[in-house]
Amino acid sequence: MSAKILTSYVDGQFMDSGVYFDNINPVNGAVISQIAEANSEIIDVAVASARHAQQHEWGAMSVNQRCALLHKVADRMSEREQEFIDAEINDTGKSLFQVETIDIPRGTANFRTFADMAKFAESETFITEMPNGDKALNYSVNKPLGVVAVISPWNLPLLLATWKIAPAMACGNSVILKPSEETSSTAFLLAQVMDEVGIPKGAFNLILGRGKAVGNAITSHQGIDAITFTGASCTGKQIMKSASDTVKPVSFELGGKNSAIIFSDADLNKAINGVARSTFTNCGQVCLCTEKVFVHRSLYQSFIEGLKQQAESIKIGYPKEEGVFMGPLVSKVHQQKVLSHYQLARDEGATFITGGGVPTFNDERKNGFFIEPTVITDLSDDSRTNQEEIFGPICHVSIFDDESEVIKRANNTQYGLAASIWTENLARAHRVAPKIDAGIVWVNSWFLRDLRTPFGGVKLSGVGREGGKHSLGFYSEPTNICIKIDE
Ligand code: NAD
Ligand code: 6OD
């Protein structure tokens, strides 16, 4: 039987380029489908169609009509939920528990939340008083940017693509989505859903293909008005260069090297469970995952023993098997990258408290890309292991003695995405949290999300904020209208 073919969706039609690459199941290395890689003609059609839709059918709709259609997208995704779950699991190997509780529900929530936010968005008005007593009414009208390119990664494929598509479309933009070449399946299903619920052709386009060729062709295209990107910091740098020719607005959500700080007044069990979750969820492949843990000297030994026990009790295996928390990493290439970091840690002199290798299977899973949850100690803050993003299920644990020292050490990084602080002392929480150079600081929690809050990073972790009114702000451009009121 020939493998299923996933194609691009442009101008309201699925388009097969005739040039394919394999889509691999990370559980066993088997080919699950063929991806038809878009070419420059397909990209040109997508851009022209997106422009037309933005200026006509889609852009001309009332906000209410547009948002009603986006709710229909969410409803249809819910009806086809099982297909989305299966597609995400097949592409990523992540556990059913995670896909059911995080990835797919957030996909639909993104559409519902941003449709409602756009519908109820306020604009600014000011009455201006001039020295001579004359007045003016100033108000702003928010207009879409035009054609927005959404470039998304493989770690939370549907969640992160819809996190950008939904607000962009709610604001009246047309979208061209380029998902990661590793994870095209839920994006393909989303294109079917857009088609089924009657999103006007061209308002949503899907371009499949690899980053360097297809992604670059999109971000450097003259017909693209803005780029919103989630992915690695090094890719962000390249995209920024290609966007600079036409001075396109960019929103970047990039890599992280996130700290957890366990103060002496933390609830130890809560902290151990929380750090186990923040380190090992999705095999450490969440940009917000913890890779550096600072534990107060008084709790260090008990913390290490607890975290070791948690890591060793994680069930690794088939995504849908009862109790499995960790599946494989997303790809062979990524498995090799993470293993090379395990080796680097060894070379730098780390002590391995647990893990450090690949779990043994005697079935098809030996061809998969599994990896052990790993806890290490004894490296300096300046070691490469403690400075470079690994994006795997590993954390380094070290001792600290006082608050100002640990704040300085947590900020000793080129990244600035997320941090978590574990303390039962409210004053300490309020004092320390704002001093961490990061876009988000959780206290006694991790990855607790409210879609209305600003999300993003500082330093190498990103440019700008999305979420709530910040998304509406990025995906639209205000025109100030100033009306002189004659006395
Ligand atoms: P990546 O940068 O390799 O790829 C992301 C996307 O960019 C993919 O669709 C890829 O095809 C495309 N791409 C690659 N090169 C391109 C180019 N030259 N021009 C245009 N597009 C290009 O990232 P990844 O490996 O898919 O994802 C993992 C990285 O993403 C990690 O660094 C992680 O921290 C980061 N990430 C950040 C966030 C966040 O919210 N800050 C969220 C998820 C992932
Ligand atoms: O929860 C979100 O909205 C979000 N953007 C999460 C990013 C996770 C990174 O891997």
Side-chain angles (χ1 to χ4, degrees), residues 151-155 160 178-181 210-212 215-216 219 229-232 235 238-239 253-256 287 389 391 417 455 461:
I151 314 281
S152 57
W154 47 256
N155 64 318
L160 290 173
K178 211 296 284 169
S180 167
E181 52 272 41
R210 285 164 284 204
K212 285 210 167 63
N216 188 52
T219 53
F229 168 73
T230 305
T235 313
Q238 287 165 17
I239 293 180
E253 298 178 339
L254 309 176
C287 58
E389 182 188 50
F391 221 51
L417 190 58
F455 184 92
S461 291

PDB file of all heavy atoms in Angstrom, residues 151-155 160 178-181 210-212 215-216 219 229-232 235 238-239 253-256 287 389 391 417 455 461, ligand 1:
ATOM      1  N   ILE A 151       5.432  30.803  10.910  1.00  0.00           N
ATOM      2  CA  ILE A 151       6.424  29.715  10.788  1.00  0.00           C
ATOM      3  C   ILE A 151       6.502  29.038  12.144  1.00  0.00           C
ATOM      4  O   ILE A 151       6.840  29.682  13.145  1.00  0.00           O
ATOM      5  CB  ILE A 151       7.825  30.262  10.419  1.00  0.00           C
ATOM      6  CG1 ILE A 151       7.760  31.294   9.285  1.00  0.00           C
ATOM      7  CG2 ILE A 151       8.795  29.123  10.105  1.00  0.00           C
ATOM      8  CD1 ILE A 151       7.616  30.747   7.908  1.00  0.00           C
ATOM      9  N   SER A 152       6.175  27.752  12.199  1.00  0.00           N
ATOM     10  CA  SER A 152       6.024  27.112  13.519  1.00  0.00           C
ATOM     11  C   SER A 152       6.922  25.874  13.658  1.00  0.00           C
ATOM     12  O   SER A 152       7.334  25.274  12.666  1.00  0.00           O
ATOM     13  CB  SER A 152       4.551  26.774  13.749  1.00  0.00           C
ATOM     14  OG  SER A 152       4.065  25.960  12.720  1.00  0.00           O
ATOM     15  N   PRO A 153       7.199  25.492  14.909  1.00  0.00           N
ATOM     16  CA  PRO A 153       8.142  24.395  15.177  1.00  0.00           C
ATOM     17  C   PRO A 153       7.429  23.060  15.404  1.00  0.00           C
ATOM     18  O   PRO A 153       6.196  22.979  15.317  1.00  0.00           O
ATOM     19  CB  PRO A 153       8.809  24.867  16.465  1.00  0.00           C
ATOM     20  CG  PRO A 153       7.713  25.551  17.204  1.00  0.00           C
ATOM     21  CD  PRO A 153       6.782  26.142  16.183  1.00  0.00           C
ATOM     22  N   TRP A 154       8.208  22.037  15.773  1.00  0.00           N
ATOM     23  CA  TRP A 154       7.666  20.684  15.876  1.00  0.00           C
ATOM     24  C   TRP A 154       7.303  20.270  17.301  1.00  0.00           C
ATOM     25  O   TRP A 154       6.742  19.213  17.516  1.00  0.00           O
ATOM     26  CB  TRP A 154       8.681  19.657  15.321  1.00  0.00           C
ATOM     27  CG  TRP A 154      10.093  19.835  15.813  1.00  0.00           C
ATOM     28  CD1 TRP A 154      11.127  20.377  15.106  1.00  0.00           C
ATOM     29  CD2 TRP A 154      10.638  19.496  17.102  1.00  0.00           C
ATOM     30  NE1 TRP A 154      12.276  20.403  15.883  1.00  0.00           N
ATOM     31  CE2 TRP A 154      12.001  19.868  17.106  1.00  0.00           C
ATOM     32  CE3 TRP A 154      10.100  18.910  18.256  1.00  0.00           C
ATOM     33  CZ2 TRP A 154      12.838  19.679  18.212  1.00  0.00           C
ATOM     34  CZ3 TRP A 154      10.927  18.727  19.357  1.00  0.00           C
ATOM     35  CH2 TRP A 154      12.276  19.106  19.324  1.00  0.00           C
ATOM     36  N   ASN A 155       7.651  21.083  18.295  1.00  0.00           N
ATOM     37  CA  ASN A 155       7.527  20.538  19.656  1.00  0.00           C
ATOM     38  C   ASN A 155       6.105  20.552  20.196  1.00  0.00           C
ATOM     39  O   ASN A 155       5.725  19.646  20.948  1.00  0.00           O
ATOM     40  CB  ASN A 155       8.504  21.248  20.615  1.00  0.00           C
ATOM     41  CG  ASN A 155       8.196  22.709  20.777  1.00  0.00           C
ATOM     42  OD1 ASN A 155       7.885  23.392  19.809  1.00  0.00           O
ATOM     43  ND2 ASN A 155       8.251  23.195  21.990  1.00  0.00           N
ATOM     44  N   LEU A 160       1.195  25.577  18.898  1.00  0.00           N
ATOM     45  CA  LEU A 160       1.978  26.776  18.589  1.00  0.00           C
ATOM     46  C   LEU A 160       1.594  27.403  17.249  1.00  0.00           C
ATOM     47  O   LEU A 160       1.716  28.614  17.079  1.00  0.00           O
ATOM     48  CB  LEU A 160       3.471  26.456  18.648  1.00  0.00           C
ATOM     49  CG  LEU A 160       3.973  26.203  20.072  1.00  0.00           C
ATOM     50  CD1 LEU A 160       5.414  25.713  20.076  1.00  0.00           C
ATOM     51  CD2 LEU A 160       3.839  27.452  20.940  1.00  0.00           C
ATOM     52  N   LYS A 178       3.575  27.833   7.601  1.00  0.00           N
ATOM     53  CA  LYS A 178       4.624  26.857   7.241  1.00  0.00           C
ATOM     54  C   LYS A 178       4.969  26.115   8.526  1.00  0.00           C
ATOM     55  O   LYS A 178       5.722  26.601   9.373  1.00  0.00           O
ATOM     56  CB  LYS A 178       5.857  27.608   6.718  1.00  0.00           C
ATOM     57  CG  LYS A 178       6.669  26.872   5.674  1.00  0.00           C
ATOM     58  CD  LYS A 178       7.324  25.601   6.099  1.00  0.00           C
ATOM     59  CE  LYS A 178       8.548  25.747   6.952  1.00  0.00           C
ATOM     60  NZ  LYS A 178       8.965  24.437   7.547  1.00  0.00           N
ATOM     61  N   PRO A 179       4.382  24.900   8.707  1.00  0.00           N
ATOM     62  CA  PRO A 179       4.706  24.145   9.921  1.00  0.00           C
ATOM     63  C   PRO A 179       6.079  23.485   9.769  1.00  0.00           C
ATOM     64  O   PRO A 179       6.644  23.460   8.681  1.00  0.00           O
ATOM     65  CB  PRO A 179       3.609  23.077   9.954  1.00  0.00           C
ATOM     66  CG  PRO A 179       3.246  22.855   8.520  1.00  0.00           C
ATOM     67  CD  PRO A 179       3.479  24.175   7.801  1.00  0.00           C
ATOM     68  N   SER A 180       6.575  22.921  10.863  1.00  0.00           N
ATOM     69  CA  SER A 180       7.852  22.212  10.773  1.00  0.00           C
ATOM     70  C   SER A 180       7.714  21.001   9.851  1.00  0.00           C
ATOM     71  O   SER A 180       6.686  20.310   9.856  1.00  0.00           O
ATOM     72  CB  SER A 180       8.282  21.744  12.164  1.00  0.00           C
ATOM     73  OG  SER A 180       9.328  20.821  12.026  1.00  0.00           O
ATOM     74  N   GLU A 181       8.774  20.737   9.101  1.00  0.00           N
ATOM     75  CA  GLU A 181       8.794  19.568   8.210  1.00  0.00           C
ATOM     76  C   GLU A 181       8.657  18.260   8.986  1.00  0.00           C
ATOM     77  O   GLU A 181       8.296  17.226   8.431  1.00  0.00           O
ATOM     78  CB  GLU A 181      10.061  19.556   7.359  1.00  0.00           C
ATOM     79  CG  GLU A 181      11.384  19.694   8.118  1.00  0.00           C
ATOM     80  CD  GLU A 181      11.801  21.153   8.335  1.00  0.00           C
ATOM     81  OE1 GLU A 181      10.934  21.996   8.642  1.00  0.00           O
ATOM     82  OE2 GLU A 181      13.010  21.433   8.192  1.00  0.00           O
ATOM     83  N   ARG A 210      10.577  22.002   3.803  1.00  0.00           N
ATOM     84  CA  ARG A 210      11.672  22.176   4.752  1.00  0.00           C
ATOM     85  C   ARG A 210      12.019  23.661   4.937  1.00  0.00           C
ATOM     86  O   ARG A 210      11.753  24.477   4.049  1.00  0.00           O
ATOM     87  CB  ARG A 210      12.883  21.369   4.283  1.00  0.00           C
ATOM     88  CG  ARG A 210      12.660  19.880   4.556  1.00  0.00           C
ATOM     89  CD  ARG A 210      13.593  19.007   3.811  1.00  0.00           C
ATOM     90  NE  ARG A 210      13.215  18.904   2.411  1.00  0.00           N
ATOM     91  CZ  ARG A 210      13.541  17.892   1.608  1.00  0.00           C
ATOM     92  NH1 ARG A 210      14.244  16.878   2.078  1.00  0.00           N
ATOM     93  NH2 ARG A 210      13.186  17.884   0.344  1.00  0.00           N
ATOM     94  N   GLY A 211      12.645  23.919   6.117  1.00  0.00           N
ATOM     95  CA  GLY A 211      12.855  25.310   6.533  1.00  0.00           C
ATOM     96  C   GLY A 211      13.762  26.108   5.629  1.00  0.00           C
ATOM     97  O   GLY A 211      13.412  27.214   5.197  1.00  0.00           O
ATOM     98  N   LYS A 212      14.929  25.534   5.325  1.00  0.00           N
ATOM     99  CA  LYS A 212      15.943  26.338   4.626  1.00  0.00           C
ATOM    100  C   LYS A 212      15.441  26.766   3.253  1.00  0.00           C
ATOM    101  O   LYS A 212      15.658  27.896   2.828  1.00  0.00           O
ATOM    102  CB  LYS A 212      17.251  25.558   4.504  1.00  0.00           C
ATOM    103  CG  LYS A 212      17.982  25.519   5.829  1.00  0.00           C
ATOM    104  CD  LYS A 212      19.502  25.445   5.678  1.00  0.00           C
ATOM    105  CE  LYS A 212      20.193  25.723   6.981  1.00  0.00           C
ATOM    106  NZ  LYS A 212      19.899  24.744   8.025  1.00  0.00           N
ATOM    107  N   GLY A 215      10.820  27.607   3.913  1.00  0.00           N
ATOM    108  CA  GLY A 215      10.634  28.637   4.947  1.00  0.00           C
ATOM    109  C   GLY A 215      11.273  29.943   4.515  1.00  0.00           C
ATOM    110  O   GLY A 215      10.662  31.018   4.592  1.00  0.00           O
ATOM    111  N   ASN A 216      12.487  29.843   4.012  1.00  0.00           N
ATOM    112  CA  ASN A 216      13.205  31.047   3.590  1.00  0.00           C
ATOM    113  C   ASN A 216      12.515  31.722   2.403  1.00  0.00           C
ATOM    114  O   ASN A 216      12.445  32.948   2.324  1.00  0.00           O
ATOM    115  CB  ASN A 216      14.650  30.673   3.254  1.00  0.00           C
ATOM    116  CG  ASN A 216      15.479  31.902   3.012  1.00  0.00           C
ATOM    117  OD1 ASN A 216      15.486  32.803   3.827  1.00  0.00           O
ATOM    118  ND2 ASN A 216      16.125  31.958   1.858  1.00  0.00           N
ATOM    119  N   THR A 219       9.675  33.721   4.013  1.00  0.00           N
ATOM    120  CA  THR A 219      10.007  34.898   4.832  1.00  0.00           C
ATOM    121  C   THR A 219      10.664  36.004   4.008  1.00  0.00           C
ATOM    122  O   THR A 219      10.581  37.178   4.361  1.00  0.00           O
ATOM    123  CB  THR A 219      10.929  34.518   6.014  1.00  0.00           C
ATOM    124  OG1 THR A 219      12.056  33.808   5.509  1.00  0.00           O
ATOM    125  CG2 THR A 219      10.216  33.653   7.023  1.00  0.00           C
ATOM    126  N   PHE A 229       7.132  34.027  14.132  1.00  0.00           N
ATOM    127  CA  PHE A 229       7.966  32.825  14.098  1.00  0.00           C
ATOM    128  C   PHE A 229       8.151  32.259  15.494  1.00  0.00           C
ATOM    129  O   PHE A 229       8.398  32.999  16.447  1.00  0.00           O
ATOM    130  CB  PHE A 229       9.342  33.194  13.514  1.00  0.00           C
ATOM    131  CG  PHE A 229      10.388  32.128  13.691  1.00  0.00           C
ATOM    132  CD1 PHE A 229      10.349  30.953  12.944  1.00  0.00           C
ATOM    133  CD2 PHE A 229      11.420  32.294  14.613  1.00  0.00           C
ATOM    134  CE1 PHE A 229      11.318  29.963  13.117  1.00  0.00           C
ATOM    135  CE2 PHE A 229      12.390  31.308  14.792  1.00  0.00           C
ATOM    136  CZ  PHE A 229      12.338  30.139  14.042  1.00  0.00           C
ATOM    137  N   THR A 230       8.044  30.949  15.617  1.00  0.00           N
ATOM    138  CA  THR A 230       8.461  30.258  16.837  1.00  0.00           C
ATOM    139  C   THR A 230       9.469  29.199  16.433  1.00  0.00           C
ATOM    140  O   THR A 230       9.201  28.382  15.541  1.00  0.00           O
ATOM    141  CB  THR A 230       7.270  29.568  17.539  1.00  0.00           C
ATOM    142  OG1 THR A 230       6.257  30.536  17.779  1.00  0.00           O
ATOM    143  CG2 THR A 230       7.697  28.966  18.859  1.00  0.00           C
ATOM    144  N   GLY A 231      10.610  29.207  17.107  1.00  0.00           N
ATOM    145  CA  GLY A 231      11.625  28.209  16.782  1.00  0.00           C
ATOM    146  C   GLY A 231      12.942  28.568  17.434  1.00  0.00           C
ATOM    147  O   GLY A 231      12.987  29.327  18.413  1.00  0.00           O
ATOM    148  N   ALA A 232      14.000  28.039  16.861  1.00  0.00           N
ATOM    149  CA  ALA A 232      15.317  28.201  17.470  1.00  0.00           C
ATOM    150  C   ALA A 232      15.829  29.641  17.297  1.00  0.00           C
ATOM    151  O   ALA A 232      15.531  30.295  16.291  1.00  0.00           O
ATOM    152  CB  ALA A 232      16.289  27.219  16.828  1.00  0.00           C
ATOM    153  N   THR A 235      17.650  30.268  14.039  1.00  0.00           N
ATOM    154  CA  THR A 235      16.762  30.451  12.879  1.00  0.00           C
ATOM    155  C   THR A 235      16.165  31.856  12.909  1.00  0.00           C
ATOM    156  O   THR A 235      16.029  32.512  11.868  1.00  0.00           O
ATOM    157  CB  THR A 235      15.632  29.399  12.870  1.00  0.00           C
ATOM    158  OG1 THR A 235      16.186  28.119  13.115  1.00  0.00           O
ATOM    159  CG2 THR A 235      14.878  29.389  11.558  1.00  0.00           C
ATOM    160  N   GLN A 238      18.387  34.269  11.281  1.00  0.00           N
ATOM    161  CA  GLN A 238      18.362  34.219   9.807  1.00  0.00           C
ATOM    162  C   GLN A 238      17.100  34.887   9.267  1.00  0.00           C
ATOM    163  O   GLN A 238      17.134  35.622   8.276  1.00  0.00           O
ATOM    164  CB  GLN A 238      18.393  32.766   9.327  1.00  0.00           C
ATOM    165  CG  GLN A 238      19.750  32.110   9.498  1.00  0.00           C
ATOM    166  CD  GLN A 238      19.673  30.595   9.356  1.00  0.00           C
ATOM    167  OE1 GLN A 238      18.711  30.053   8.834  1.00  0.00           O
ATOM    168  NE2 GLN A 238      20.690  29.912   9.847  1.00  0.00           N
ATOM    169  N   ILE A 239      15.969  34.622   9.935  1.00  0.00           N
ATOM    170  CA  ILE A 239      14.701  35.188   9.457  1.00  0.00           C
ATOM    171  C   ILE A 239      14.735  36.720   9.581  1.00  0.00           C
ATOM    172  O   ILE A 239      14.252  37.444   8.709  1.00  0.00           O
ATOM    173  CB  ILE A 239      13.505  34.569  10.207  1.00  0.00           C
ATOM    174  CG1 ILE A 239      13.389  33.083   9.832  1.00  0.00           C
ATOM    175  CG2 ILE A 239      12.212  35.313   9.892  1.00  0.00           C
ATOM    176  CD1 ILE A 239      12.264  32.339  10.497  1.00  0.00           C
ATOM    177  N   GLU A 253       9.323  34.055  18.956  1.00  0.00           N
ATOM    178  CA  GLU A 253       9.336  33.290  20.202  1.00  0.00           C
ATOM    179  C   GLU A 253      10.414  32.218  20.038  1.00  0.00           C
ATOM    180  O   GLU A 253      10.252  31.291  19.239  1.00  0.00           O
ATOM    181  CB  GLU A 253       7.950  32.690  20.465  1.00  0.00           C
ATOM    182  CG  GLU A 253       6.928  33.812  20.636  1.00  0.00           C
ATOM    183  CD  GLU A 253       5.502  33.365  20.859  1.00  0.00           C
ATOM    184  OE1 GLU A 253       5.158  32.224  20.515  1.00  0.00           O
ATOM    185  OE2 GLU A 253       4.715  34.177  21.367  1.00  0.00           O
ATOM    186  N   LEU A 254      11.526  32.393  20.766  1.00  0.00           N
ATOM    187  CA  LEU A 254      12.733  31.600  20.468  1.00  0.00           C
ATOM    188  C   LEU A 254      13.115  30.684  21.629  1.00  0.00           C
ATOM    189  O   LEU A 254      12.282  30.349  22.465  1.00  0.00           O
ATOM    190  CB  LEU A 254      13.863  32.566  20.089  1.00  0.00           C
ATOM    191  CG  LEU A 254      13.515  33.606  19.004  1.00  0.00           C
ATOM    192  CD1 LEU A 254      14.660  34.574  18.764  1.00  0.00           C
ATOM    193  CD2 LEU A 254      13.123  32.921  17.694  1.00  0.00           C
ATOM    194  N   GLY A 255      14.372  30.314  21.659  1.00  0.00           N
ATOM    195  CA  GLY A 255      14.812  29.290  22.607  1.00  0.00           C
ATOM    196  C   GLY A 255      14.889  29.769  24.049  1.00  0.00           C
ATOM    197  O   GLY A 255      14.681  30.944  24.352  1.00  0.00           O
ATOM    198  N   GLY A 256      15.199  28.822  24.940  1.00  0.00           N
ATOM    199  CA  GLY A 256      15.299  29.173  26.371  1.00  0.00           C
ATOM    200  C   GLY A 256      16.348  28.316  27.072  1.00  0.00           C
ATOM    201  O   GLY A 256      16.788  27.282  26.555  1.00  0.00           O
ATOM    202  N   CYS A 287       9.867  24.801  25.071  1.00  0.00           N
ATOM    203  CA  CYS A 287      10.825  25.907  25.224  1.00  0.00           C
ATOM    204  C   CYS A 287      10.891  26.398  26.660  1.00  0.00           C
ATOM    205  O   CYS A 287      11.866  27.026  27.056  1.00  0.00           O
ATOM    206  CB  CYS A 287      10.431  27.053  24.302  1.00  0.00           C
ATOM    207  SG  CYS A 287       8.765  27.635  24.646  1.00  0.00           S
ATOM    208  N   GLU A 389      21.102  25.767  25.080  1.00  0.00           N
ATOM    209  CA  GLU A 389      19.810  25.078  25.151  1.00  0.00           C
ATOM    210  C   GLU A 389      19.982  23.650  24.639  1.00  0.00           C
ATOM    211  O   GLU A 389      20.550  23.438  23.563  1.00  0.00           O
ATOM    212  CB  GLU A 389      18.774  25.802  24.285  1.00  0.00           C
ATOM    213  CG  GLU A 389      17.401  25.160  24.368  1.00  0.00           C
ATOM    214  CD  GLU A 389      16.392  25.734  23.362  1.00  0.00           C
ATOM    215  OE1 GLU A 389      16.725  25.817  22.164  1.00  0.00           O
ATOM    216  OE2 GLU A 389      15.281  26.079  23.787  1.00  0.00           O
ATOM    217  N   PHE A 391      17.210  21.140  24.980  1.00  0.00           N
ATOM    218  CA  PHE A 391      15.882  20.769  24.468  1.00  0.00           C
ATOM    219  C   PHE A 391      15.650  19.264  24.575  1.00  0.00           C
ATOM    220  O   PHE A 391      15.139  18.615  23.664  1.00  0.00           O
ATOM    221  CB  PHE A 391      15.706  21.243  23.022  1.00  0.00           C
ATOM    222  CG  PHE A 391      14.335  21.814  22.741  1.00  0.00           C
ATOM    223  CD1 PHE A 391      13.785  22.796  23.544  1.00  0.00           C
ATOM    224  CD2 PHE A 391      13.568  21.348  21.673  1.00  0.00           C
ATOM    225  CE1 PHE A 391      12.528  23.320  23.290  1.00  0.00           C
ATOM    226  CE2 PHE A 391      12.298  21.862  21.407  1.00  0.00           C
ATOM    227  CZ  PHE A 391      11.791  22.856  22.217  1.00  0.00           C
ATOM    228  N   LEU A 417      13.615  33.362  28.767  1.00  0.00           N
ATOM    229  CA  LEU A 417      12.236  32.995  28.437  1.00  0.00           C
ATOM    230  C   LEU A 417      11.381  32.786  29.684  1.00  0.00           C
ATOM    231  O   LEU A 417      10.378  33.465  29.888  1.00  0.00           O
ATOM    232  CB  LEU A 417      12.244  31.735  27.563  1.00  0.00           C
ATOM    233  CG  LEU A 417      10.915  31.362  26.930  1.00  0.00           C
ATOM    234  CD1 LEU A 417      10.376  32.492  26.071  1.00  0.00           C
ATOM    235  CD2 LEU A 417      11.065  30.097  26.071  1.00  0.00           C
ATOM    236  N   PHE A 455       3.109  36.902  26.525  1.00  0.00           N
ATOM    237  CA  PHE A 455       3.990  35.734  26.440  1.00  0.00           C
ATOM    238  C   PHE A 455       5.117  36.054  25.470  1.00  0.00           C
ATOM    239  O   PHE A 455       4.884  36.513  24.355  1.00  0.00           O
ATOM    240  CB  PHE A 455       3.205  34.511  25.943  1.00  0.00           C
ATOM    241  CG  PHE A 455       4.033  33.263  25.918  1.00  0.00           C
ATOM    242  CD1 PHE A 455       4.060  32.414  27.007  1.00  0.00           C
ATOM    243  CD2 PHE A 455       4.817  32.947  24.813  1.00  0.00           C
ATOM    244  CE1 PHE A 455       4.858  31.272  27.017  1.00  0.00           C
ATOM    245  CE2 PHE A 455       5.614  31.810  24.803  1.00  0.00           C
ATOM    246  CZ  PHE A 455       5.631  30.971  25.908  1.00  0.00           C
ATOM    247  N   SER A 461      15.822  34.971  23.618  1.00  0.00           N
ATOM    248  CA  SER A 461      14.556  34.214  23.656  1.00  0.00           C
ATOM    249  C   SER A 461      13.428  34.863  22.875  1.00  0.00           C
ATOM    250  O   SER A 461      12.333  34.286  22.813  1.00  0.00           O
ATOM    251  CB  SER A 461      14.116  33.995  25.109  1.00  0.00           C
ATOM    252  OG  SER A 461      14.997  33.099  25.736  1.00  0.00           O
TER     253      SER A 461
HETATM  254  P1  NAD B   1      13.682  25.556  14.004  1.00  0.00           P
HETATM  255  O1  NAD B   1      14.079  26.973  14.165  1.00  0.00           O
HETATM  256  O2  NAD B   1      14.643  24.595  13.461  1.00  0.00           O
HETATM  257  O3  NAD B   1      12.404  25.451  13.057  1.00  0.00           O
HETATM  258  C1  NAD B   1      11.232  26.199  13.300  1.00  0.00           C
HETATM  259  C2  NAD B   1      10.530  26.453  11.983  1.00  0.00           C
HETATM  260  O4  NAD B   1      11.346  27.303  11.184  1.00  0.00           O
HETATM  261  C3  NAD B   1      10.268  25.204  11.159  1.00  0.00           C
HETATM  262  O5  NAD B   1       9.035  25.327  10.504  1.00  0.00           O
HETATM  263  C4  NAD B   1      11.410  25.235  10.153  1.00  0.00           C
HETATM  264  O6  NAD B   1      11.127  24.534   8.976  1.00  0.00           O
HETATM  265  C5  NAD B   1      11.516  26.728   9.899  1.00  0.00           C
HETATM  266  N1  NAD B   1      12.809  27.170   9.377  1.00  0.00           N
HETATM  267  C6  NAD B   1      14.033  26.617   9.582  1.00  0.00           C
HETATM  268  N2  NAD B   1      14.983  27.345   8.956  1.00  0.00           N
HETATM  269  C7  NAD B   1      14.353  28.383   8.367  1.00  0.00           C
HETATM  270  C8  NAD B   1      14.776  29.504   7.582  1.00  0.00           C
HETATM  271  N3  NAD B   1      16.065  29.701   7.288  1.00  0.00           N
HETATM  272  N4  NAD B   1      13.851  30.379   7.149  1.00  0.00           N
HETATM  273  C9  NAD B   1      12.551  30.223   7.458  1.00  0.00           C
HETATM  274  N5  NAD B   1      12.075  29.172   8.176  1.00  0.00           N
HETATM  275  C10 NAD B   1      12.964  28.282   8.636  1.00  0.00           C
HETATM  276  O7  NAD B   1      13.138  25.114  15.434  1.00  0.00           O
HETATM  277  P2  NAD B   1      12.616  23.678  15.874  1.00  0.00           P
HETATM  278  O8  NAD B   1      13.793  22.769  15.955  1.00  0.00           O
HETATM  279  O9  NAD B   1      11.444  23.304  15.022  1.00  0.00           O
HETATM  280  O10 NAD B   1      12.045  23.999  17.336  1.00  0.00           O
HETATM  281  C11 NAD B   1      12.826  23.936  18.499  1.00  0.00           C
HETATM  282  C12 NAD B   1      13.276  25.327  18.901  1.00  0.00           C
HETATM  283  O11 NAD B   1      12.163  26.196  19.011  1.00  0.00           O
HETATM  284  C13 NAD B   1      13.919  25.353  20.271  1.00  0.00           C
HETATM  285  O12 NAD B   1      15.005  26.233  20.244  1.00  0.00           O
HETATM  286  C14 NAD B   1      12.827  25.916  21.173  1.00  0.00           C
HETATM  287  O13 NAD B   1      13.264  26.534  22.349  1.00  0.00           O
HETATM  288  C15 NAD B   1      12.167  26.879  20.254  1.00  0.00           C
HETATM  289  N6  NAD B   1      10.796  27.135  20.691  1.00  0.00           N
HETATM  290  C16 NAD B   1      10.495  28.343  21.257  1.00  0.00           C
HETATM  291  C17 NAD B   1       9.200  28.595  21.710  1.00  0.00           C
HETATM  292  C18 NAD B   1       8.805  29.891  22.368  1.00  0.00           C
HETATM  293  O14 NAD B   1       7.611  30.112  22.568  1.00  0.00           O
HETATM  294  N7  NAD B   1       9.731  30.753  22.726  1.00  0.00           N
HETATM  295  C19 NAD B   1       8.223  27.624  21.544  1.00  0.00           C
HETATM  296  C20 NAD B   1       8.575  26.411  20.955  1.00  0.00           C
HETATM  297  C21 NAD B   1       9.870  26.177  20.518  1.00  0.00           C
END
